[in-house]
Structures are given as structure tokens and as C-alpha cells.
Amino acid sequence: MRTIDTRTDDWRAALDALRDTLGVDGDVVSEAGRAKTMELFGEPLSPRQVVDRICDDVRAGGLDAVLDYTRRLDGKDLTAETVRVSEDEFAEAEAAADPAFLDAIRRAAENVREFQAAIRHRDAPVRRDVPGGGAVHLVQRYVPMKRVGLCVPGGAAAYPSTLLMTAVPAQVAGVKEIAVSVPPTAFGGYNADLLATCKAIGVTEVFRTGGAQGVAALAYGAATADGAGVKPVDFIGGPGNLFVALAKRRAFGTVGIDSIAGPSEVIVLADETANPQFVAADLIAQAEHSPGSAVLITWHEPLLAAVREAVEQQLAQLSRADLIRPSLEAYGALLLARDETEACELTDELATEHLHIQTADPERLAERITNAGAIFLGHYTPVALGDYYAGPSHVLPTGGTARFANGLCVNDFLKRSSVIRYDEAALNAAADDVIRLAEKEALTAHAASVSIRTA
């Protein structure tokens, strides 16, 4: 892992370089992904160019194009019938699942459901009584979207948790049709634990269409004349690699999206009370996403060496060290700030997905941080609690977008409309003001639409 010391002259350039690699305009792609690009297109296209080609092909070619990319990219020869997980496959996965695993899934789902239900927007009515009689009735109304698509990764690992963190909020919102896109891999559309989780929470529409082609299928539709395949959705949520993120950005406008989420990331903000073993474990856990960014920010200099040593000790014991180490080297950093104030400023500047504050008084420091997708307080609140169990969704803004973007929640699956009703007396009371404003803008037809009712 690189060390960045703000007391040196070149620290800003080093920090900017790290930040640039993590944005959606960066090039955070695994070596396998680069090799696949060359194999598929015969030239070293940028991720954006790859996504543009795939989306254009799917929009023009529909399901045939999706299946073609699935064969060429994923090595799976699927048909209109096998691209969708069947009811029998769901039942077989549920029957084969570890009962203890399913119990844990149900408890986690209940935690998510409880939290999402608590924060769900409710209709907000306003009544305005008009002097002399008459009333205005206003409502901010919230209704669920009809059909949404959810992306669940399945490249380096299986993620039943992501299914929970996307589908359950949509269910709490009241969405009736939920289509899930997963890669056709042993960690995705052929993963028994993932399919058993679908069965456990009532998700029945799952397509083995990962990557940019999966996003394009959800956005533009990829169905045959007899209805097989993927029907277009109104909204796409969920995480993925850079290709998924870029495809979501490309599709925005045709559909709504939650955010343009890229590689996972964490900042651990720590002081002298932090346990180096805990900090190392948290950095390693995030790097395990491969690629994943893990940054320690501290003003306590001895912590840097202690964490570096603990990282090496723990990597020696982990079976996935060959995936984790490259992430730490490419996208990790140990950053030494001059003091607590600078550490908080740099944390806010990086606007990380996950912020874990491991200090003597984490609540006090949290009040100084504006930009973070999710904040974990104290030495005994590892990010894994948020990943799997606590209740807020783990689908969060990455690449510095926490400056303006939010984590996925139930309210992303709701549409809001304003409902307005004036009675005759209320219109008469407002008429002069409305006519005057309309005429000031030279919109005489607007003014006439009021005056014709009050003449």
C-alpha cells in the first residue's frame, strides 16, 4: 500500500492520482477484464467505448444481441428459455440450501424491511383555508414504480446480500414487478445460495444477463415476439463493476437509475485508540471486492506502521490474498494527516462510500463529515454489519459521488406527484395574482384560463 504524508511536497498529486482512479471516469478494470476486451473487440477500447458498443448492439438486436454477448463474454450458450431462471431451479436451490443460512437471510431481510419501512415517504397533505370562504387542498403523493430492474454482481463472489439490499427496499415501496440481472456464473445466475435467497424473499424474475448487456436489456428490453426474455423497466438500481456503472449512465434518461456506482471503497478515520488489527481487517475486507479501495487516514503516525504490519500478517492467513493484495497495492493508501482537522477535511474531500470512524469520540468527528455514503461509528461497528445485516442498504455512492448522491433506499422506488384542488371561492381569491403573473410573462392564454372561470 502506498503512503501519503501531507507534510511532503508531492502529497497532493499522489492523493489526486488515487482519487482519479476511483471515479467512474477512471479505468478500474481487472486484468482479466482488459484481456477480455482485447479478445472480444480486437483493440484496447476504453471501458466507455466498450459499453457504447454493447448498448447500441442490444438496443438494435434485442435478445439475440444479449445472448451473443453472453456467449462471447461469459462463455455461456443460453437461449430465450434458459436465460431466465425457472421455477424448478428456484425450488431446487431452496431445497438444497442450508437451513441456518436461510434463517440468517430471513433475519437480515427483516432488519432491512424494518428500517426501510420506517423511512418510507408518506403522502403529505396540506389544507389552506381562504379568508371569506373557500379551501385549497394540496397533497404530495408517493406511489411505487410499476417495474424496476436490479443489478446483482456475481464475478468474484456471490452476493445474496445485494439481492436483499436492493429487492427488499423495492418490495417495501410496493413495486409489483422486480427483474433481477445477474451474470451467468457460478457466483451469479447459477449460485444456489443466491437463488434460494430469491425464493426466500419472493423474487421470481431473475435473468442470467450480467454486465453492460444486462443493464441494456433492462433499459431497452430484450424480449422475443412470444414474450420470452426481458421486458423494459422504469428504473435500474444496484451495484456492479465499471462496465455496469457506465451502462447505467448511458441508459439514464431512458430509465431512472439510483447512482453510478463503481468499485467499492472504504476510508478508516482513526486515532491512537484504534486497534491496528481491526483497522487492517477492515481495509482488507474492502479490498477483497477486487477491485476495491481501502484508505486509512490518521494523524497518529505510529498507526501507519502498525497497520501495515497487521495487513501482512492477516494476508498470510487468507485464502483470497491473491485477489486482495493487488487491490491494496493499486487502490489502497495509508494517509498521514497533520492533525485531526486536516484528516476530517481530507475525508470529506474524498467523499467515500463507506466511512468507518475508529476514534475515542466517533460521534464528534461524524458531525464534521458531510460527504459519505454510510458512516460506521466506533471500534465494534465493522462495515460488514452494514453489508449484510443492520438495515440501511449497502448500495452506496462511490468514486467521490457521495458529495451529491445518496445510498439506495425505499424512496428511490417511489414516484412523487403533487395533487392540487381549488374550489370556486379559492380560485376567485387567487385569480388576480395568477392573472397578473401570467400577463407579466406575456402568457395571455394562461391568464385567460383563469379569467374565463371568474368572469
Side-chain angles (χ1 to χ4, degrees):
M1 298 176 70
R2 77 196 77 183
T3 298
I4 301 175
D5 186 341
T6 63
R7 298 170 300 182
T8 62
D9 292 338
D10 62 347
W11 75 271
R12 171 55 65 178
L15 183 65
D16 289 345
L18 173 65
R19 182 173 53 192
D20 289 346
T21 66
L22 300 176
V24 74
D25 291 320
D27 195 17
V28 184
V29 183
S30 68
E31 288 304 316
R34 297 181 196 278
K36 182 62 73 172
T37 296
M38 284 295 298
E39 176 187 333
L40 187 63
F41 298 105
E43 54 182 317
L45 298 178
S46 70
R48 188 188 301 275
Q49 290 171 319
V50 169
V51 166
D52 285 347
R53 287 201 187 183
I54 291 174
C55 288
D56 286 344
D57 288 346
V58 171
R59 193 166 197 170
L63 186 60
D64 288 341
V66 173
L67 297 178
D68 181 55
Y69 274 113
T70 300
R71 177 180 57 79
R72 297 162 65 196
L73 282 169
D74 300 306
K76 295 293 183 182
D77 194 6
L78 299 177
T79 66
E81 290 72 34
T82 59
V83 72
R84 178 171 176 171
V85 177
S86 68
E87 292 183 9
D88 288 344
E89 288 173 305
F90 284 127
E92 290 170 5
E94 182 183 44
D98 178 2
F101 167 75
L102 290 180
D103 287 343
I105 284 292
R106 293 187 182 99
R107 286 190 291 270
E110 185 55 36
N111 290 344
V112 176
R113 198 175 305 278
E114 174 193 48
F115 179 81
Q116 300 296 329
I119 66 171
R120 187 187 190 279
H121 289 324
R122 269 72 177 177
D123 288 359
V126 175
R127 177 187 170 94
R128 183 186 303 145
D129 291 322
V130 177
V136 177
H137 296 272
L138 310 172
V139 179
Q140 184 73 53
R141 188 183 71 163
Y142 295 93
V143 296
M145 296 178 185
K146 292 183 177 180
R147 178 173 174 81
V148 305
L150 304 175
C151 300
V152 177
Y159 295 101
S161 60
T162 297
L163 181 73
L164 292 181
M165 298 296 181
T166 54
V168 174
Q171 290 172 333
V172 173
V175 176
K176 298 300 183 185
E177 295 184 27
I178 299 174
V180 176
S181 174
V182 293
T185 65
F187 293 133
Y190 294 98
N191 184 265
D193 289 335
L194 178 63
L195 299 187
T197 300
C198 291
K199 183 73 171 177
I201 67 172
V203 171
T204 60
E205 192 175 348
V206 178
F207 297 94
R208 298 178 172 113
T209 53
Q213 66 270 24
V215 173
L218 292 171
Y220 309 125
T224 60
D226 60 1
V230 188
K231 295 188 297 182
V233 301
D234 303 313
F235 177 90
I236 299 175
N241 61 19
L242 181 61
F243 296 101
V244 169
L246 290 172
K248 286 170 67 179
R249 181 159 74 175
R250 170 69 183 269
F252 179 64
T254 300
V255 295
I257 63 172
D258 54 348
S259 64
I260 306 169
S264 194
E265 57 197 35
V266 70
I267 287 177
V268 177
L269 182 60
D271 65 8
E272 67 280 0
T273 68
N275 183 324
Q277 294 292 336
F278 291 0
V279 174
D282 296 329
L283 298 177
I284 288 171
Q286 211 63 32
E288 187 176 23
H289 286 287
S290 186
S293 173
V295 176
L296 166 65
I297 299 180
T298 185
W299 56 98
H300 181 59
E301 187 169 4
L303 187 60
L304 271 66
V307 167
R308 188 183 294 278
E309 180 180 356
V311 166
E312 291 301 324
Q313 291 173 352
Q314 293 180 29
L315 284 178
Q317 306 299 319
L318 292 173
S319 60
R320 294 169 63 86
D322 60 329
L323 291 173
I324 297 168
R325 190 179 296 278
S327 283
L328 290 173
E329 292 173 352
Y331 313 116
L334 305 175
L335 195 158
L336 179 63
R338 292 179 177 86
D339 52 33
E340 177 188 292
T341 296
E342 184 179 60
C344 290
E345 291 172 350
L346 292 173
T347 298
D348 223 28
E349 179 181 335
L350 290 172
T352 189
E353 177 188 20
H354 304 97
L355 171 60
H356 190 177
I357 305 179
Q358 300 186 40
T359 64
D361 188 359
E363 287 82 2
R364 180 178 62 83
L365 264 63
E367 292 177 356
R368 302 177 65 175
I369 305 298
T370 302
N371 303 327
I375 302 174
F376 299 78
L377 301 180
H379 304 301
Y380 296 95
T381 315
V383 171
L385 286 172
D387 287 341
Y388 294 107
Y389 204 72
S393 177
H394 73 202
V395 180
L396 300 165
T398 64
T401 60
R403 291 180 297 106
F404 55 83
N406 304 301
L408 184 72
C409 76
V410 57
N411 298 315
D412 290 302
F413 300 102
L414 298 175
K415 298 190 305 94
R416 63 179 182 269
S417 301
S418 53
V419 181
I420 303 166
R421 180 173 181 177
Y422 277 60
D423 60 23
E424 184 176 4
L427 173 63
N428 287 333
D432 288 346
D433 286 344
V434 176
I435 291 170
R436 184 171 291 109
L437 293 171
E439 289 178 342
K440 180 62 72 171
E441 296 182 352
L443 298 177
T444 54
H446 283 63
S449 72
V450 174
S451 62
I452 198 172
R453 291 172 163 83
T454 57

